[in-house]
Amino acid sequence: MKKFFLSMAAACLMPFLLHAQHSISGIVMDKKSSTTLPRAHVAVKNTHIVVFSDASGHFEIRQLPKGTYKIKCTYVGYKPYIKVIEVREDKTIEINMQQTSTLADEVIISATRSTDFNPVTQTIITREEIGAVNMGQDLPFLLKMTPSTTITSDAGMGIGYTGINIRGSDATRINVTINGIPVNDSESHGVWWVNMPDFASSVENIQVQRGVGTSTHGAAAFGASINLQTNTLNEKRYAEVASAVGSFNSMKNTISFGTGLLPSKWAIDGRMSRIVSDGYIDRASSDLSSYYLSAGYYGQNSILKLIHFSGSETTYQAWYGVPGDSLKTNRTYNPAGRYYDNDGNIRYYDNETDNYRQDHYQVHFSHQLTPMLTVNAAGHYTYGRGYYEQYRPNDRLSRYELSPMVIGADTIMRTDLIRRRWLDNHFYGLTYALNYNNLANFDAVIGGAFNKYDGDHFGEIIWAEFAKGIEPNHRYYDNKGVKTDFNNFIKINYQTGAFSLFGDLQHRRISYDFVGKALVNNEIENLDQNVVFNFINPKAGITYNLNPQNSIYAFWGIANREPVRRDFTESSPESRPKHETMNNFELGFRRNERNYFMAVNAYLMNYKNQLVLTGKINDVGDYTRTNIDESYRAGIEVESHIRLTSNVKWGLNFTYSRNTIIEHTEYYDVYDENWNWEGVKSIDYTHTPIAFSPDFIAGSILSYRPFNNFEIDIYSKYIGSQYIDNTADKDRRLDAYLVNDVRLSYTRALKLFEQLQISLMLNNILDEQYITNAWVYNGIFGNGKPIALDDGYFPQAGRHYLLGVNIRF
């Protein structure tokens, strides 16, 4: 294994030994007015070379061997410029750009995206890269090869509930936006990709920013942000059918279409998808469906875009995990829905399912007031509703505010019942931005948003064995959460000579009210609280261009994050945790050359009052999260793309990090040998690893194209060992693993079709037995050392496959 990663490091450094001979220089100009265009994007196709024109419109591409090259220049508001140039000596060219008759979609997301000039650690995933691996798995599985990323799946193979961690930060600490509109749940901060099945089929590109990143909307980026842009204008009409089948009775069917740009300057795009799977874990089935519709008007100075997408899911619950004592004997065992019939036989409730539907509506308007000034505004509304259903054997009536039942001489205190726990919520708001660009060396964005969340939480009993006095659909708790989030920010970029300066300042105000009765620690409690937060989040950075192909950057930023719903509802105002604060420092180097790209980044994410579970019971009797005074994440990330030969490419990345809690106290319930509770014991820990934060992560994509229509990709992902709690106990550590996937793809144009593509994905081809996630309830038995009293593990599927066929008309 060490030799493998040493070879990866050597490959990253190898290109520095290569030498080239010639250069292409020139100027980028507006064809009609002959004015120069600064910061134009100039790329050499089929290489990793990307440069930008300076304040006077000049650019230079160095170190090119003799040969023929295709130059592509892009600039917002202009048609792409492509020219083939034969290089046998130094060349000087003039690029004359022609303005387009329509405004580009990129203006919609410009306020919340980082640009190539910003000193922000980022990775862009293109539509082509997404499409290559999109066979029905959730979006986290399509992002698994990005740096510092780990993924997990409840069902074990990427369909159903999935999760993603970036730099050890889970989904509640990753800010997610779609076209600049926040996606994170306002109360829990989580993102459930299962509610948006096959959304990747409607995505144009994804920008992943690691660290604090630039200001955006919604929950703070406390480890990373994932910014998705949906379909952009396709001027030609099209239709596409994509189907896939695979292991565990998995199947995906997708139909997409687009009208192209109509004479009326409108363009309409649509998609319908259905995904089903039995899952690797027992009964971890998924039945998912979704659709996407957009209609856009593209004028020369204006864009009006209407977007509506919806997803619904029914999944059998697999979130309990496999008990630790079953891993060796029954690796796919799922305890969800288990009960005993009258004869003492184990049964499983058929409808132990999660059911949810989410509808999204977005309206975007962009208008170019002058060549230097553009205004953006967007309105959005999301309606989510659904429940999960549970069979509860021998449950206490008092938990549901029900009195004991007297039947003859017997008093009934418990009963078997079926309950549904509901969530019905509305999320809506406005976002706005004013973009200024003086087309020379200065640009600025003033933006913000007002968002409101209104969510009802309630539980119902739909059946009980002893149901005397219970009304149909008896509602045993009902509470409401109302949250408003108002933010404003200003971003500035200034270029002077070889330096680019960046500044970003955001003010965010959050008000959160919750009232009514909630199920807290399996008991009904009254809630009536209000909290208000005001956060100032500054960011600054500098980029220095050593030459057209090499640059270094430094970044500093602060992020503040409010606690999540459970931190409030399962505590009192007296025990309520504080908000978290993070200082983020980044120092990086980027290099673009003909046959390789390389980025090296060192980071420090220093936390104040990070919230973690410690096992401590608060004043309302629940295990709530506790603020840790000091903790940090520090590491180095390397990302590289190398063209080894004309038909072999290698993309690789690795992260080495330290993720540490300076000191904290864990609390354990103590039981005697007869399982009688004896009290609580506390143990102090110092310098322990943060849970679910492996020290080493590496990824590799080796691509070989033996001939034009056929491609072989080998994906390798290594995740180092990680702990499932913050005690550094080896008994609560997940082993390191290396997973290899192989993709075979054949693409061809035929008379009947514009394109036919057949892809075979062989996942985990070496049949690695590995676990990506787990949970544990620790206690002390017989006054000994802490042990796991209850646990759940999430093993992933062994060798399995997905076979896909895409036909584009």
Side-chain angles (χ1 to χ4, degrees):
M1 186 67 67
K2 290 183 178 179
K3 291 182 178 179
F4 171 72
F5 292 116
L6 286 173
S7 68
M8 291 176 66
C12 288
L13 299 174
M14 179 178 63
F16 287 101
L17 304 176
L18 302 178
H19 297 279
Q21 299 172 347
H22 302 296
S23 68
I24 300 175
S25 60
I27 188 170
V28 183
M29 305 177 64
D30 180 291
K31 184 176 181 179
K32 185 176 181 180
S33 65
S34 295
T35 56
T36 59
L37 299 177
R39 292 185 280 186
H41 183 279
V42 184
V44 182
K45 299 287 286 182
N46 298 317
T47 75
H48 295 289
I49 297 177
V50 176
V51 300
F52 298 89
S53 59
D54 61 20
S56 61
H58 288 86
F59 70 91
E60 183 180 10
I61 301 170
R62 299 178 179 177
Q63 297 182 339
L64 289 173
K66 293 181 180 180
T68 301
Y69 300 94
K70 183 183 288 187
I71 306 297
K72 182 177 181 179
C73 180
T74 56
Y75 197 83
V76 175
Y78 289 78
K79 294 180 179 179
Y81 175 95
I82 298 176
K83 186 174 183 178
V84 177
I85 299 175
E86 186 175 350
V87 175
R88 297 193 176 278
E89 56 187 13
D90 291 350
K91 286 273 189 176
T92 301
I93 64 172
E94 186 175 287
I95 296 178
N96 292 296
M97 304 290 289
Q98 183 177 349
Q99 291 189 18
T100 63
S101 59
T102 60
L103 198 60
D105 284 272
E106 282 70 22
V107 299
I108 292 175
I109 59 170
S110 59
T112 55
R113 281 273 180 117
S114 170
T115 69
D116 294 300
F117 302 100
N118 293 150
V120 175
T121 308
Q122 58 181 291
T123 299
I124 299 287
I125 302 94
T126 66
R127 184 181 186 87
E128 291 72 25
E129 292 171 319
I130 297 168
V133 292
N134 181 18
M135 296 191 193
Q137 294 174 304
D138 270 2
L139 198 82
F141 274 64
L142 310 187
L143 299 178
K144 67 181 180 181
M145 300 308 298
T146 55
S148 303
T149 296
T150 64
I151 58 171
T152 186
S153 168
D154 286 5
M157 52 86 67
I159 297 177
Y161 273 89
T162 59
I164 184 170
N165 283 21
I166 300 177
R167 287 187 179 174
S169 298
D170 65 21
T172 66
R173 298 167 182 269
I174 299 173
N175 173 270
V176 178
T177 59
I178 297 176
N179 301 323
I181 304 300
V183 176
N184 297 71
D185 179 78
S186 295
E187 292 190 297
S188 69
H189 298 186
V191 176
W192 289 274
W193 300 102
V194 70
N195 297 332
M196 299 184 292
D198 200 30
F199 190 73
S201 291
S202 298
V203 169
E204 186 68 26
N205 58 67
I206 303 172
Q207 183 183 73
V208 179
Q209 298 181 25
R210 299 186 292 282
V212 168
T214 60
S215 287
T216 182
H217 306 305
F222 223 66
S225 61
I226 299 175
N227 307 311
L228 298 94
Q229 182 182 15
T230 56
N231 292 342
T232 56
L233 174 63
N234 192 324
E235 297 194 6
K236 296 181 179 180
R237 66 179 182 268
Y238 68 91
E240 186 170 354
V241 177
S243 295
V245 295
S247 302
F248 316 114
N249 293 317
S250 301
M251 182 178 295
K252 170 202 170 188
N253 289 293
T254 299
I255 300 174
S256 306
F257 72 91
T259 64
L261 188 61
L262 301 171
S264 60
K265 294 190 176 181
W266 282 88
I268 299 172
D269 293 271
R271 172 187 56 81
M272 294 181 64
S273 301
R274 172 93 188 280
I275 300 171
V276 295
S277 176
D278 289 345
Y280 167 67
I281 299 297
D282 297 345
R283 302 184 312 286
S285 59
S286 298
D287 189 346
L288 319 174
S289 61
S290 68
Y291 62 84
Y292 171 92
L293 287 170
S294 71
Y297 172 80
Y298 295 86
Q300 183 171 358
N301 297 311
S302 300
I303 292 178
L304 174 64
K305 199 161 187 178
L306 314 174
I307 299 173
H308 168 48
F309 55 94
S310 177
S312 63
E313 58 92 6
T314 297
T315 56
Y316 197 96
Q317 294 166 27
W319 53 56
Y320 299 102
V322 178
D325 56 10
S326 298
L327 285 172
K328 291 184 178 180
T329 58
N330 189 0
R331 189 176 179 82
T332 63
Y333 174 64
N334 181 6
R338 186 180 65 180
Y339 69 97
Y340 292 89
D341 64 16
N342 294 331
D343 297 324
N345 300 312
I346 293 178
R347 303 291 186 188
Y348 295 94
Y349 180 53
D350 289 340
N351 204 39
E352 191 90 355
T353 55
D354 182 71
N355 306 266
Y356 200 76
R357 182 182 182 90
Q358 200 169 65
D359 302 327
H360 299 255
Y361 302 85
Q362 298 182 1
V363 179
H364 298 270
F365 177 72
S366 299
H367 180 68
Q368 190 175 49
L369 301 170
T370 72
M372 293 184 291
L373 199 61
T374 303
V375 62
N376 298 322
H380 67 89
Y381 170 63
T382 301
Y383 177 38
R385 66 279 192 196
Y387 63 89
Y388 64 88
E389 187 168 313
Q390 293 175 307
Y391 188 98
R392 301 281 295 181
N394 201 33
D395 211 350
R396 293 204 314 263
L397 292 171
S398 61
R399 287 181 172 173
Y400 304 92
E401 295 198 315
L402 295 171
S403 302
M405 299 181 190
V406 178
I407 301 178
D410 297 325
T411 300
I412 306 299
M413 307 291 291
R414 295 174 175 267
T415 183
D416 292 357
L417 58 85
I418 299 171
R419 71 184 188 187
R420 287 179 176 175
R421 300 185 67 178
W422 281 85
L423 180 62
D424 189 301
N425 56 54
H426 307 267
F427 178 59
Y428 53 91
L430 298 169
T431 68
Y432 46 88
L434 186 66
N435 298 267
Y436 173 79
N437 187 335
N438 72 355
L439 304 181
N441 60 353
F442 178 79
D443 64 77
V445 179
I446 299 175
F450 176 82
N451 300 307
K452 186 170 183 177
Y453 170 91
D454 188 336
D456 290 329
H457 305 257
F458 58 92
E460 296 178 341
I461 297 175
I462 65 170
W463 174 86
E465 182 180 11
F466 298 103
K468 185 179 179 181
I470 301 178
E471 297 293 329
N473 296 328
H474 167 74
R475 186 168 294 195
Y476 62 95
Y477 74 88
D478 195 343
N479 69 89
K480 178 186 288 287
V482 177
K483 187 174 185 179
T484 57
D485 187 334
F486 179 68
N487 73 82
N488 284 289
F489 61 81
I490 181 170
K491 302 178 186 180
I492 295 174
N493 287 287
Y494 177 71
Q495 188 170 358
T496 174
F499 290 93
S500 294
L501 307 178
F502 170 75
D504 185 338
L505 182 64
Q506 181 195 54
H507 169 250
R508 184 167 174 246
R509 185 183 190 277
I510 304 107
S511 175
Y512 185 31
D513 298 89
F514 37 95
V515 295
K517 295 180 179 180
L519 190 66
V520 178
N521 197 25
N522 275 323
E523 299 293 343
I524 304 298
E525 300 285 349
N526 285 311
L527 304 175
D528 191 359
Q529 297 186 44
N530 168 261
V531 290
V532 175
F533 296 97
N534 279 283
F535 297 139
I536 301 295
N537 300 316
K539 307 172 185 72
I542 183 171
T543 302
Y544 177 64
N545 296 303
L546 301 167
N547 55 52
Q549 267 101 11
N550 297 276
S551 63
I552 58 175
Y553 66 87
F555 173 89
W556 164 79
I558 291 179
N560 292 279
R561 177 177 179 266
E562 73 276 19
V564 302
R565 170 184 164 81
R566 286 191 59 184
D567 297 322
F568 295 122
T569 61
E570 300 181 7
S571 66
S572 70
E574 289 72 29
S575 62
R576 181 182 300 152
K578 303 173 184 177
H579 74 271
E580 302 170 281
T581 300
M582 182 179 71
N583 268 275
N584 180 208
F585 301 89
E586 309 271 335
L587 180 64
F589 168 76
R590 300 186 184 113
R591 180 164 184 162
N592 295 279
E593 294 293 351
R594 175 175 175 263
N595 287 319
Y596 75 96
F597 160 81
M598 184 179 181
V600 181
N601 179 69
Y603 67 87
L604 170 64
M605 292 160 46
N606 196 47
Y607 298 95
K608 181 70 173 177
N609 293 325
Q610 184 176 189
L611 284 163
V612 300
L613 281 169
T614 64
K616 185 177 182 180
I617 296 178
N618 62 18
D619 57 354
V620 299
D622 203 8
Y623 298 95
T624 192
R625 297 192 300 171
T626 303
N627 292 111
I628 299 298
D629 186 46
E630 291 184 75
S631 54
Y632 67 87
R633 302 181 188 276
I636 184 167
E637 299 166 323
V638 177
E639 182 178 11
S640 183
H641 301 277
I642 308 165
R643 184 175 292 276
L644 300 174
T645 69
S646 60
N647 55 1
V648 178
K649 298 184 297 183
W650 193 11
L652 57 156
N653 61 75
F654 59 87
T655 302
Y656 179 75
S657 64
R658 290 293 184 186
N659 310 275
T660 303
I661 296 175
I662 303 300
E663 60 181 27
H664 72 289
T665 302
E666 292 279 335
Y667 297 84
Y668 303 94
D669 290 317
V670 181
Y671 298 87
D672 66 16
E673 294 179 356
N674 297 317
W675 289 100
N676 296 310
W677 185 75
E678 292 188 328
V680 176
K681 180 179 181 180
S682 63
I683 300 178
D684 295 328
Y685 294 89
T686 59
H687 294 89
T688 56
I690 302 175
F692 300 108
S693 302
D695 288 347
F696 197 78
I697 300 173
S700 165
I701 306 176
L702 185 63
S703 299
Y704 173 53
R705 180 169 290 183
F707 49 89
N708 285 338
N709 298 326
F710 186 67
E711 188 168 12
I712 303 172
D713 298 320
I714 301 174
Y715 299 84
S716 301
K717 187 76 176 187
Y718 176 82
I719 305 296
S721 61
Q722 53 188 313
Y723 293 91
I724 62 179
D725 65 12
N726 301 305
T727 65
D729 190 325
K730 293 182 179 180
D731 291 335
R732 284 177 282 285
R733 182 176 66 185
L734 301 180
D735 292 335
Y737 56 87
L738 173 64
V739 179
N740 296 280
D741 305 329
V742 176
R743 174 180 172 267
L744 309 175
S745 178
Y746 177 76
T747 305
R748 185 169 181 177
L750 301 173
K751 290 183 178 180
L752 295 177
F753 314 125
E754 178 183 322
Q755 179 178 287
L756 169 67
Q757 183 181 57
I758 302 173
S759 300
L760 175 62
M761 180 71 80
L762 301 171
N763 296 298
N764 194 5
I765 193 167
L766 299 181
D767 204 27
E768 177 86 355
Q769 300 292 294
Y770 66 107
I771 298 171
T772 56
N773 195 15
W775 61 269
V776 64
Y777 164 58
N778 293 317
I780 296 178
F781 176 69
N783 208 25
K785 63 171 289 189
I787 61 171
L789 301 181
D790 198 7
D791 56 23
Y793 292 81
F794 295 88
Q796 304 298 288
R799 188 182 298 112
H800 60 289
Y801 77 95
L802 290 165
L803 175 65
V805 177
N806 286 31
I807 302 174
R808 188 177 180 92
F809 300 91

